[in-house]
Amino acid sequence: MAAPSAATRRKLQRKFKLRGFTLKVDALEEAAAFLARFPDAEDDALDLLLDELDKEPLQSSILDRDAVRRVVALLVEADEAVDAASPAATSARSALRVVDSFVVPRFHYDPIKKVFYEHTSRLAIHGEAGDKAALYRDRYQVLLQRLARDIYFSKPAFDTVMTEDDNCEITSIQSLIGCTGRRWIMGVISQLEERQFYLEDLTGACYAFLSTKHKITSGFFVENTVIVAEGELLSNGIFQVNTCGFPPLEDREASLSMLMGLDFFGGGVIPTEETVRLSTLEKKAMNDMFVILSDVWLDNYETMEKLGVVLDGYDSLEAVPSLFVLMGNFCSRPCNLAFNSFEELRLQFGKLGEMIAARSRLKEHSRFLFIPGPDDAGPSKALPRCALPKYLTEELQKHIPNAIFVSNPCRVKFYTQEIVFFRQDLLYRMRRSCLIPPTTEETSDPFEHLVATITHQSHLCPLPLTVQPIIWSYDHCLRLYPTPHTIVLGDKSDQKAFKYTGITCFNPGSFANDSTFAAYRPCTKEVELSALES
């Protein structure tokens, strides 16, 4: 490859610097080689390259060859697709944006001004005590401001004659002292004393006895969840609960209208005119399909054999899937301190790359997204988990340069649709940590209770930090506010799909254990639960 001219070098460095990027020498050469393919439209090609780099889940603003090469490979394939008179393939690829958890913006709620403002300072991985307090406070404030707009809990604008049954206005716990009669409170279930659970808000705490005798809503009531309870404060200081449940959900469009264009999802704010255009394209993308597999054990011969069957099946289709999402664990054994086969695992990722590359149509027209599991290699078990280590994935990327390795959880924006992927054995932990048995009035299905819990809590993992550690400063990455269109919960439990208040939620099942996986069609939000015959 010929060295770029001095003028080209200066142009590249200036343009990349304006976008906030710094180029290493090998990355500059890669970008110059891409521009050389378009001698009559260098500026347009460079702008396109920068636009696509902006969409990538980059870990650093200093770009190396691999980061640029991954995007260049994508653009070259798109250009070849245009030459082959296949605009549909190009539009599908350009419509897909993957958002790493560690680049999701953080917002705080100001209860005085009743607005959200963005946190602009740097977030620390190892936080201080104040960061842990902020985690609970921010979770509570998000749900409280949502509840305040609910027709049943909002304070009347004018003084009206209301019966006690109609008045559901929330009372702060501190204000309960001296009050008689029925009151509604909203608080976090907190274990302030050993095996003694309290309801706690921003003003105080009171002991509240929770049992199956109370009328409760669907969901798992675990420590750290926020609940709305109706009852009366007794003379002994105990809040006698009559009814309790999770804060009511708010329609996605209602939430968005209150956020005044703030980007909570991390996929970028789309102007109204562009949203209308993208919605039209999304509805026309009938052939686009995402295939999701969880527990892809690379060290297990049977699993790899089954994966080959799945890839062969989709490679033979007239329209191949737009995206394959492969979620961990990628090894049948936990990658902990006792694990000493990292070199072998690296080679197994390379074999997976060879397997994908052997299916030429999938390599050319599909993208591959890799999300680590709870027992995969990484710096800690705390959420969110960073992408798989580069050491393990280098061999695979030699065969599939545009493979995407992101955090767990991660977010995908497809045209206007927002999709959240989360790989965690959440159902087992929720059931184990549940303080009272869930009600069976509406449903007895554990997965439906799980979906109700995370959506009403607006959080992917509302478990105690002792059960599932979370990086305090990055707790916002697990928020589900405003509610996304689709939530994919990779879990080792049985595969399941459930549509709840317009939100599509599904678990593709454990591919290694049960040979189960799922296909999702974004244009219709339909889920096809699949399995290989044994």
Side-chain angles (χ1 to χ4, degrees):
M1 181 169 56
S5 66
T8 302
R9 296 174 76 94
R10 284 195 298 272
K11 180 199 287 188
L12 284 167
Q13 288 169 339
R14 185 178 69 254
K15 285 265 193 175
F16 273 81
K17 192 172 183 180
L18 286 171
R19 294 288 189 101
F21 295 122
T22 302
L23 285 171
K24 290 185 178 181
V25 175
D26 54 358
L28 189 146
E29 291 174 352
E30 193 72 36
F34 174 69
L35 294 192
R37 299 173 63 96
F38 310 95
D40 299 326
E42 276 195 0
D43 290 338
D44 290 340
L46 181 53
D47 288 339
L48 186 60
L49 175 60
L50 288 165
D51 288 343
E52 289 299 318
L53 279 166
D54 277 335
K55 298 176 184 178
E56 287 292 304
L58 301 170
Q59 301 294 329
S60 171
S61 60
I62 302 173
L63 303 180
D64 58 13
R65 182 191 292 272
D66 289 340
V68 177
R69 179 178 286 173
R70 190 163 59 245
V71 176
V72 165
L74 172 63
L75 293 173
V76 169
E77 287 176 14
D79 181 60
E80 289 171 353
V82 171
D83 293 340
S86 178
T90 310
S91 62
R93 283 175 170 276
S94 60
L96 187 73
R97 178 168 185 182
V98 180
V99 183
D100 191 280
S101 285
F102 291 93
V103 299
V104 173
R106 180 180 177 182
F107 293 90
H108 295 291
Y109 183 70
D110 186 335
I112 306 299
K113 296 180 179 178
K114 299 189 186 311
V115 294
F116 283 95
Y117 63 92
E118 188 169 357
H119 182 96
T120 53
S121 57
R122 187 179 178 188
L123 297 175
I125 294 291
H126 304 289
E128 300 178 355
D131 296 312
K132 185 178 182 182
L135 177 153
Y136 294 109
R137 186 170 60 248
D138 287 350
R139 281 193 203 179
Y140 184 86
Q141 290 281 24
V142 165
L143 295 179
L144 183 61
Q145 62 87 31
R146 191 183 79 187
L147 183 75
R149 292 192 293 274
D150 188 273
I151 187 172
Y152 296 106
F153 293 94
S154 57
K155 186 176 181 179
F158 302 98
D159 290 333
T160 56
V161 178
M162 298 182 70
T163 66
E164 192 176 82
D165 290 335
D166 292 332
N167 185 12
C168 297
E169 185 184 344
I170 296 295
T171 303
S172 66
I173 290 176
Q174 188 181 50
S175 302
L176 286 175
I177 301 171
C179 290
T180 58
R182 190 176 68 114
R183 290 289 186 273
W184 287 87
I185 62 173
M186 175 171 154
V188 182
I189 301 176
S190 303
Q191 190 175 181
L192 301 184
E193 299 175 28
E194 188 174 357
R195 310 191 86 171
Q196 298 290 317
F197 292 94
Y198 290 71
L199 285 180
E200 184 178 11
D201 68 5
L202 299 175
T203 66
C206 62
Y207 179 74
F209 179 70
L210 299 175
S211 77
T212 52
K213 295 178 182 178
H214 308 137
K215 185 177 180 181
I216 61 175
T217 58
S218 297
F220 295 116
F221 290 76
V222 302
E223 185 184 345
N224 275 19
T225 51
V226 177
I227 67 169
V228 177
E230 176 267 317
E232 184 178 359
L233 187 68
L234 304 179
S235 57
N236 58 6
I238 297 175
F239 186 77
Q240 180 65 52
V241 176
N242 298 322
T243 307
C244 65
F246 293 140
L249 272 175
E250 182 177 63
D251 182 69
R252 171 183 167 82
E253 297 305 320
S255 298
L256 289 172
S257 67
M258 298 299 298
L259 298 180
M260 297 177 293
L262 296 176
D263 178 25
F264 273 60
F265 192 76
V269 178
I270 305 173
T272 306
E273 301 81 5
E274 182 68 5
T275 301
V276 173
R277 188 183 73 84
L278 291 175
S279 296
T280 305
L281 291 173
E282 184 180 320
K283 291 172 183 174
K284 292 179 179 178
M286 301 296 292
N287 290 329
D288 284 298
M289 178 170 62
F290 300 167
V291 178
I292 302 102
L293 302 95
S294 181
D295 279 339
V296 183
W297 293 349
L298 305 183
D299 63 335
N300 184 281
Y301 176 77
E302 288 183 10
T303 303
M304 294 301 285
E305 200 172 44
K306 291 187 293 187
L307 181 59
V309 173
V310 172
L311 294 178
D312 283 336
Y314 285 111
D315 188 49
S316 63
L317 294 179
E318 184 178 347
V320 298
S322 312
L323 180 70
F324 282 87
V325 180
L326 276 65
M327 298 194 279
N329 300 316
F330 290 103
C331 189
S332 58
R333 295 177 293 131
C335 294
N336 50 28
L337 293 174
F339 188 80
N340 55 5
S341 305
F342 289 105
E343 175 64 29
E344 186 179 342
L345 186 57
R346 172 187 165 96
L347 295 175
Q348 286 158 354
F349 268 104
K351 290 178 182 176
L352 175 60
E354 291 176 9
M355 178 185 289
I356 297 170
R359 281 79 177 174
S360 58
R361 294 182 67 235
L362 295 183
K363 182 184 177 182
E364 290 173 15
H365 303 296
S366 302
R367 297 192 76 177
F368 289 83
L369 179 65
F370 293 84
I371 301 171
D375 293 323
D376 279 323
S380 77
K381 300 292 184 184
L383 294 172
R385 289 181 61 103
C386 60
L388 290 165
K390 190 175 179 180
Y391 170 78
L392 294 178
T393 62
E394 281 177 331
E395 292 297 316
L396 184 146
Q397 285 194 301
K398 290 178 182 177
H399 302 284
I400 313 295
N402 64 342
I404 308 169
F405 296 89
V406 286
S407 62
N408 180 29
C410 82
R411 305 171 180 214
V412 169
K413 196 155 191 170
F414 184 74
Y415 291 109
T416 62
Q417 192 171 152
E418 295 179 354
I419 307 168
V420 174
F421 291 91
F422 184 42
R423 173 63 185 97
Q424 184 63 265
D425 296 324
L426 194 57
L427 185 57
Y428 168 78
R429 293 186 174 198
M430 278 287 185
R431 297 180 74 175
R432 188 178 176 87
S433 303
C434 197
L435 301 176
I436 52 177
T439 178
T440 56
E441 282 190 20
E442 294 180 16
T443 179
S444 57
D445 190 316
F447 184 74
E448 294 183 14
H449 281 292
L450 174 63
V451 170
T453 305
I454 65 171
T455 51
H456 282 271
Q457 295 294 311
S458 289
H459 198 276
L460 277 170
C461 191
L463 284 165
L465 298 185
T466 51
V467 176
Q468 175 54 64
I470 291 175
I471 303 173
W472 299 339
S473 298
Y474 286 87
D475 181 70
H476 66 283
C477 303
L478 282 81
R479 281 188 202 155
L480 297 172
Y481 180 78
T483 51
H485 298 93
T486 303
I487 305 170
V488 184
L489 299 171
D491 198 295
K492 65 181 179 184
S493 59
D494 293 341
Q495 66 175 182
K496 198 81 178 179
F498 178 50
K499 202 151 194 166
Y500 186 68
T501 63
I503 308 164
T504 304
C505 303
F506 65 95
N507 167 27
S510 175
F511 185 68
N513 290 319
D514 307 323
S515 306
T516 54
F517 59 99
Y520 175 68
R521 295 191 179 275
C523 67
T524 58
K525 300 185 179 69
E526 291 180 356
V527 182
E528 300 169 11
L529 298 178
S530 307
L532 294 179
E533 294 182 2
S534 55

